[in-house]
Amino acid sequence: MASRILVVSPAWLGDIIMCQSLLKTLKHQDPSCVITMYAPSYAHCIIDRMSEVDEILENPFAHGQFDLSGRIQEGKKLKALNFDKAYVLPNSFKSALIPWFANIKERIGLKGESRYLLLNKMRKDKNSFARMVNRYVALAYVDDPCVKDDSTLPSFDYPSLITHKPSDELLARLKISLDRPLLVLGCGANYGPAKLWPPEYFAQLSLHFIKQNWSILALGSAKDKETVNAIKEHIKAQSADALEYFYDIAGQTSLTEALDLVGACSAGVCNDSGLMHTLAAANVPQACIFGSTSTKYTPPLSDKAVCVESTQPCHPCFKRTCQYNTYACLKELTVEKVINALNSVL
């Protein structure tokens, strides 16, 4: 009988995409296993593009919400599904409660918030694995004493999301033409301003590629509209005619529509964000900008991605805002550096 595996997914889109490497590893180890992702509803459409996932269940709890009685009820519902294993990917105490209440025999995760009673198979050596994706994959080898660090972790496959050609209806609604190659901008980051490359830099980069007969696709959520508008104002000040080739669709697409549009792009430039990981999983060449964060922890998982990283003495601080209010880590990453980096993978 096939092993039934529950995977309690992370909350953030980039982490959800990175954890696909764990799913691929589990399927390699046991091709007959049935993987169920327990994930926030917003991410189901992206998880549905992971061929390794057999079923998706909704995690109804908001990020940070405890609700003990609700988690007890969720555990009772999951208990009836007879899972053999649970992989708990968030580090929080509360994320491990539901598999515990579901009485799942093997409950596996990284050492986190005092979860010794809730998890019965725990990796306490997470700091031996530099990258987040390595920590996820290492959970598949929790019973293997030979897997102790990055040097002993077996090789694994990078995330790879299924993409479809954008429909004519979608292109018409967004007024996008594919007559010129598309460069997608990942100019947002929910994490905070310390990840945001300056809008004037994105504008200069956009003008450079428009002059090279590209079009620019500004993707993102409604939260990114302010940043995209700032980019457009900088472009308009230098060359209003160039805006004909700048497609502002921030907040106008679903996640899967955005994924399919990304798949139609020839290149991208992204902040360290969920969209960066989406481009990587769609196999799109890109230059990635790391200001306050580090490529050692959450780099794009793609051979077609190149990173441009700060050299400031305070880097990486992993703060949401600049403690010195200078954002020097981002400003030192010039447009010329990013263009040269992207050209190296085109």
Side-chain angles (χ1 to χ4, degrees):
M1 189 173 180
S3 174
R4 289 181 52 77
I5 299 174
L6 179 72
V7 177
V8 180
S9 92
W12 300 102
L13 178 61
D15 293 347
I16 291 171
I17 292 173
M18 283 188 287
C19 86
Q20 190 186 9
S21 289
L22 168 63
L23 310 183
K24 289 176 176 289
T25 301
L26 294 174
K27 283 288 189 179
H28 284 315
Q29 291 176 337
D30 179 7
S32 68
C33 73
V34 177
I35 295 178
T36 298
M37 287 286 281
Y38 187 70
S41 58
Y42 88 88
H44 288 196
C45 57
I46 292 295
I47 295 170
D48 194 49
R49 298 294 186 90
M50 299 179 180
S51 59
E52 300 77 19
V53 177
D54 299 289
E55 183 184 21
I56 310 172
L57 297 177
E58 181 183 356
N59 181 342
F61 303 102
H63 184 59
Q65 180 185 5
F66 192 77
D67 188 2
L68 180 60
S69 63
R71 290 177 189 273
I72 292 173
Q73 292 303 313
E74 279 291 294
K76 289 180 178 178
K77 285 194 288 185
L78 294 183
K79 184 177 181 180
L81 299 178
N82 298 312
F83 289 105
D84 301 292
K85 295 181 181 181
Y87 289 86
V88 183
L89 302 190
N91 286 324
S92 64
F93 176 84
K94 59 185 177 291
S95 63
L97 283 170
I98 293 172
W100 164 266
F101 290 130
N103 199 28
I104 297 172
K105 184 178 179 180
E106 292 186 45
R107 302 178 303 280
I108 303 158
L110 297 168
K111 181 182 177 182
E113 297 177 342
S114 302
R115 310 193 294 179
Y116 290 94
L117 291 176
L118 302 180
L119 301 178
N120 53 17
K121 290 192 176 181
M122 182 186 294
R123 291 212 78 115
K124 303 174 185 178
D125 55 354
K126 69 178 182 180
N127 291 330
S128 297
F129 302 92
R131 301 187 302 178
M132 174 65 80
V133 66
N134 292 36
R135 296 177 184 184
Y136 288 154
V137 173
L139 293 175
Y141 300 95
V142 69
D143 293 321
D144 188 341
C146 295
V147 178
K148 300 176 181 178
D149 52 26
D150 287 326
S151 67
T152 53
L153 184 69
S155 61
F156 57 86
D157 293 331
Y158 283 162
S160 55
L161 298 174
I162 299 166
T163 61
H164 303 305
K165 182 180 178 182
S167 68
D168 292 338
E169 292 78 10
L170 176 63
L171 295 173
R173 172 167 67 84
L174 300 174
K175 299 181 174 61
I176 294 173
S177 170
L178 299 181
D179 291 343
R180 294 157 62 119
L182 280 176
L183 174 75
V184 59
L185 302 184
C187 52
N190 288 332
Y191 186 79
K195 280 189 176 185
L196 300 178
W197 204 41
E200 59 269 29
Y201 287 18
F202 272 113
Q204 293 171 34
L205 179 132
S206 298
L207 283 167
H208 170 85
F209 279 93
I210 288 170
K211 290 174 183 176
Q212 302 295 319
N213 294 315
W214 290 62
S215 292
I216 308 299
L217 187 67
L219 266 175
S221 68
K223 295 177 182 178
D224 301 317
K225 286 293 292 182
E226 182 179 351
T227 300
V228 174
N229 286 337
I231 294 170
K232 288 162 63 177
E233 286 301 312
H234 285 291
I235 292 174
K236 184 179 179 180
Q238 297 182 59
S239 176
D241 292 344
L243 288 176
E244 177 184 352
Y245 303 104
F246 187 95
Y247 302 122
D248 170 11
I249 60 170
Q252 299 181 48
T253 63
S254 68
L255 277 176
T256 46
E257 288 172 341
L259 172 61
D260 291 336
L261 287 167
V262 161
C265 290
S266 298
V269 174
C270 290
N271 296 322
D272 176 14
S273 62
L275 186 57
M276 175 190 77
H277 294 290
T278 304
L279 263 72
N283 204 32
V284 175
Q286 65 173 316
C288 313
I289 297 160
F290 283 77
S292 67
T293 52
S294 171
T295 56
K296 293 180 180 178
Y297 187 51
T298 55
L301 303 175
S302 169
D303 296 331
K304 294 184 178 180
V306 60
C307 298
V308 185
E309 189 167 9
S310 170
T311 62
Q312 294 297 309
C314 54
H315 168 85
C317 69
F318 294 102
K319 295 184 181 296
R320 295 175 183 269
T321 58
C322 177
Q323 58 188 321
Y324 304 112
N325 202 33
T326 63
Y327 295 95
C329 62
L330 291 161
K331 292 177 180 177
E332 75 162 301
L333 307 178
T334 64
V335 176
E336 182 181 11
K337 285 181 181 178
V338 174
I339 290 173
N340 289 339
L342 183 58
N343 283 336
S344 74
V345 291
L346 290 181

